[in-house]
């Protein structure tokens, strides 16, 4: 059933099918109630952030410590609720701003059906095999477990011969590839990767980043990766920068050198989402 949004447009016309993720004026403030100048504990982690990411894109989100990049990921992925604003995933609004709350159970269902996660520390269960870890999201969501499909995905990430192994029998890079397979198995609209190469050596990181590229270029998935590493970010199609909770421009076709240069000058100015795009060499 169609319903109208605050912009006076129906859901089907307001959010195109080619949009994987849209944030509209998202704000998130942390701090104790009543905190202010006296307490000094109020922090506006996101300050009126609006952005749209197309389906089939690989976006890196970067910024200095405290810039809001982790908060952006958490709010966009439904792990935290913004104070104000809209988060729309694949055309469906995730509640989090003013108005009736979905409830935690419904929000959990939303995440399980539309969102995949890849974390720095893999978050694999040590007592489960590679195959069992991969299908865990299906079991948690009460969905039918298609073992053949899971094996195809694991073969695709180079682990077809490790189905019965447990995480402690794998390298860090292999564990992260299991985490990517686990994220893919539910066919999510968006995969959020939070510092996915932070615990890996150079070779393992390269393998994981190439795999994330493949999920976008070969399989049409949408990946949003938070990272502090310019080399990792250079694997993305576009880098979006944050400074002090606000968008601070972007680079397309980025190189590690251009990213590092841009990061060094982020404090110079903070642009709106409409800031002109800078194209890397």
């Amino acid at each position: 059933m169609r319903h109208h949004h605050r912009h006076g447009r129906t859901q089907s016309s307001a959010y195109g099918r080619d949009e994987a993720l849209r944030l509209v004026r998202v704000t998130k403030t942390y701090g104790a109630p009543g905190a202010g100048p006296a307490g000094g504990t109020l922090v506006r982690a996101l300050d009126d952030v609006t952005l749209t990411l197309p389906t089939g894109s690989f976006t890196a989100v970067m910024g200095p410590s405290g810039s809001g990049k982790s908060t952006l990921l958490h709010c966009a992925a439904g792990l935290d609720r913004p104070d104000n604003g809209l988060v729309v995933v694949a055309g469906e609004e995730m509640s989090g701003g003013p108005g009736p709350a979905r409830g935690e159970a419904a929000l959990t269902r939303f995440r399980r059906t539309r969102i995949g996660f890849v974390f720095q520390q893999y978050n694999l269960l040590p007592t489960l095999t590679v195959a069992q870890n991969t299908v865990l999201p299906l079991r948690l969501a009460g969905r039918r477990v298609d073992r053949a499909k899971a094996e195809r995905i694991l073969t695709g990430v180079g682990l077809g011969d490790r189905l019965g192994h447990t995480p402690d029998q794998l390298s860090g890079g292999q564990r992260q590839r299991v985490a990517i397979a686990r994220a893919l198995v539910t066919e999510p609209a968006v995969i959020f990767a939070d510092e996915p190469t932070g615990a890996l050596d150079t070779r393992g990181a390269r393998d994981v980043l190439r795999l994330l590229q493949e999920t976008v270029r070969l399989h049409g998935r949408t990946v949003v990766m938070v990272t502090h590493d310019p080399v990792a970010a250079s694997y993305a199609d576009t880098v979006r920068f944050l400074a002090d909770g606000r968008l601070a421009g972007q680079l397309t076709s980025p190189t590690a050198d251009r990213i590092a240069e841009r990061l060094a000058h982020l404090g110079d100015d903070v642009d709106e989402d409409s800031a002109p795009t800078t194209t890397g060499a």
Side-chain angles (χ1 to χ4, degrees):
M1 186 175 73
R2 287 182 169 183
H3 61 282
H4 286 270
H5 287 274
R6 65 181 70 178
H7 299 297
R9 296 178 293 178
T10 60
Q11 182 175 10
S12 59
S13 63
Y15 307 115
R17 294 179 63 185
D18 59 344
E19 291 179 6
L21 178 69
R22 179 188 283 251
L23 273 61
V24 182
R25 308 201 67 177
V26 170
T27 298
K28 181 68 178 180
T29 301
Y30 293 107
T41 56
L42 271 182
V43 176
R44 180 160 286 195
L46 292 177
D47 186 5
D48 203 32
V49 171
T50 294
L51 65 81
T52 301
L53 300 181
T55 299
S57 60
F58 185 2
T59 302
V61 178
M62 301 193 79
S65 178
S67 63
K69 56 186 186 292
S70 291
T71 304
L72 177 68
L73 182 147
H74 289 160
C75 288
L79 294 171
D80 201 355
R81 295 175 184 271
D83 299 326
N84 292 288
L86 298 177
V87 176
V88 183
V89 178
E92 182 165 343
E93 182 182 329
M94 182 191 306
S95 80
R102 259 184 195 275
E104 287 304 318
L107 193 58
T108 298
R109 284 195 299 273
F110 188 97
R111 286 197 304 264
R112 285 176 178 169
T113 55
R114 291 170 180 81
I115 292 168
F117 295 101
V118 181
F119 298 101
Q120 180 174 335
Q121 295 299 333
Y122 327 124
N123 288 20
L124 302 177
L125 293 182
T127 58
L128 298 185
T129 65
V130 165
Q132 289 168 337
N133 267 291
T134 300
V135 301
L136 188 59
L138 296 174
R139 293 194 180 281
L140 291 173
R143 294 166 62 179
R144 186 178 69 88
V145 173
D146 186 339
R147 293 188 179 279
K149 175 184 171 184
E151 289 185 16
R152 285 195 302 273
I153 292 173
L154 285 165
T155 299
V157 302
L159 294 173
D161 59 344
R162 300 298 186 105
L163 302 178
H165 290 215
T166 52
D168 64 354
Q169 297 174 294
L170 305 178
S171 69
Q174 289 170 330
R175 293 182 201 182
Q176 197 61 294
R177 283 187 267 155
V178 176
I180 292 171
R182 180 184 59 189
L184 287 168
V185 76
T186 59
E187 299 184 346
V190 185
I191 295 173
F192 290 95
D194 192 359
E195 299 281 8
T197 60
L200 303 179
D201 60 23
T202 301
R203 179 179 174 182
R206 185 177 63 241
D207 289 347
V208 163
L209 290 162
R210 286 177 176 167
L211 183 55
L212 290 173
Q213 282 183 326
E214 284 182 16
T215 67
V216 174
R217 295 176 183 174
L218 300 183
H219 307 293
R221 297 290 167 204
T222 303
V223 174
V224 179
M225 175 176 70
V226 166
T227 182
H228 70 280
D229 181 3
V231 174
S234 71
Y235 282 77
D237 306 318
T238 303
V239 182
R240 304 296 298 258
F241 296 96
L242 282 173
D244 298 321
R246 302 186 72 192
L247 290 166
Q250 66 185 58
L251 284 171
T252 58
S253 303
T255 65
D257 288 343
R258 294 293 305 278
I259 294 166
E261 179 186 354
R262 188 63 174 269
L263 281 171
H265 295 94
L266 263 191
D268 295 352
D269 58 88
V270 177
D271 301 322
E272 298 294 333
D273 185 53
S274 57
T277 298
T278 304
T279 302

